Amino acid sequence: MIEMQDVWKTYTNGTHALQGVSVKIDRNEFVYVVGPSGAGKSTFMKLIYREEVPTKGQISVNGFNIGKLQQRKIPYVRRNIGVIFQDFRLLPRLTVSENIAFAMEVIEAPKKLIRKRVPEVLELVGLKNKGNREPSQLSGGEQQRVAIARAIVNNPSVIIADEPTGNLDPETSWGIMQLLDEINFRGTTIVMATHNKDIVNTMRKRVIAIEHGKIVRDQMRGEYGYDF
């Protein structure tokens, strides 16, 4: 599913964001990526969906060698990877339904399929009757649910979630986590970077801890392990 072999990422300013990272994430896993700010978590996530490319080493996602991927093949790989951001990144002038449909339109999905699929994912994320609203008319938690719907609408095999509860209150965060847990239960692999100690310690999924660009801990049913 996802495999990194001796992966290094060095930026032009000389920062070694990742140093010799090797890890394998299997299909249907739910993995938390934790560690201090600046540890390399975001770089780790971006490499998976090819926002960044490794300086050295090999990354395989769904059988594709991400680092050596030809530019024209990147969209095909990303069809199977949904990405959820902390700041939602919804298009403000589009309705909820249009935001979700846009993710299907960019991969040239048939209009008939779009009309069928968008209501399905709206119902799954608990926004069945809010498809005609604009993002500004929704709460933060509802906007994040729209972002999740957009990420899953093309039935990706992997979801990358970068601090998806970072801007939400605790109660709303738990609702988002229950939704992600349900999506994982349905067969989607989820890799989630987070600083939320309570969520990690309660849900007890696999935990990968990164410090100074290196994996220092990889535990099944792990704990957060930090006091900050």
Side-chain angles (χ1 to χ4, degrees), residues 132-150:
N132 292 326
R133 297 193 183 185
E134 294 182 355
S136 61
Q137 297 175 297
L138 303 178
S139 68
E142 288 172 332
Q143 290 186 57
Q144 191 59 291
R145 286 175 180 269
V146 177
I148 292 172
R150 181 182 59 191

Side-chain angles (χ1 to χ4, degrees), residues 100-113:
I100 299 168
F102 183 73
M104 300 187 73
E105 291 165 358
V106 297
I107 67 167
E108 300 179 348
K111 291 183 178 180
K112 184 178 180 180
L113 178 60

Side-chain angles (χ1 to χ4, degrees), residues 63-163:
F64 288 93
N65 185 334
I66 295 295
K68 296 184 178 180
L69 203 63
Q70 295 177 339
Q71 197 70 28
R72 61 185 176 84
K73 291 186 177 180
I74 294 175
Y76 295 99
V77 172
R78 288 182 177 167
R79 288 183 185 185
N80 282 310
I81 303 174
V83 184
I84 304 168
F85 301 98
Q86 179 177 348
D87 56 357
F88 317 138
R89 301 195 188 182
L90 302 177
L91 300 171
R93 296 187 179 181
L94 299 185
T95 66
V96 166
S97 290
E98 289 168 344
N99 264 278
I100 299 168
F102 183 73
M104 300 187 73
E105 291 165 358
V106 297
I107 67 167
E108 300 179 348
K111 291 183 178 180
K112 184 178 180 180
L113 178 60
I114 294 175
R115 288 194 297 268
K116 176 178 181 292
R117 180 66 177 153
V118 170
E120 289 177 350
V121 295
L122 277 174
E123 184 169 6
L124 176 61
V125 301
L127 297 174
K128 181 179 179 180
N129 299 316
K130 298 191 176 182
N132 292 326
R133 297 193 183 185
E134 294 182 355
S136 61
Q137 297 175 297
L138 303 178
S139 68
E142 288 172 332
Q143 290 186 57
Q144 191 59 291
R145 286 175 180 269
V146 177
I148 292 172
R150 181 182 59 191
I152 66 174
V153 71
N154 290 318
N155 292 307
S157 58
V158 179
I159 285 181
I160 303 301
D162 196 355
E163 297 281 356

Side-chain angles (χ1 to χ4, degrees), residues 3 23 40 43 50 61 66 83 86 91-92 94 99 109-110 120 153 164 167 169-170 173 178 190 199 202 207 228:
E3 187 169 4
V23 68
T43 298
R50 228 294 195 153
V61 179
I66 295 295
V83 184
Q86 179 177 348
L91 300 171
L94 299 185
N99 264 278
E120 289 177 350
V153 71
N167 289 331
D169 63 81
S173 296
Q178 289 169 357
I190 296 180
I199 285 175
T202 301
V207 174
F228 47 78

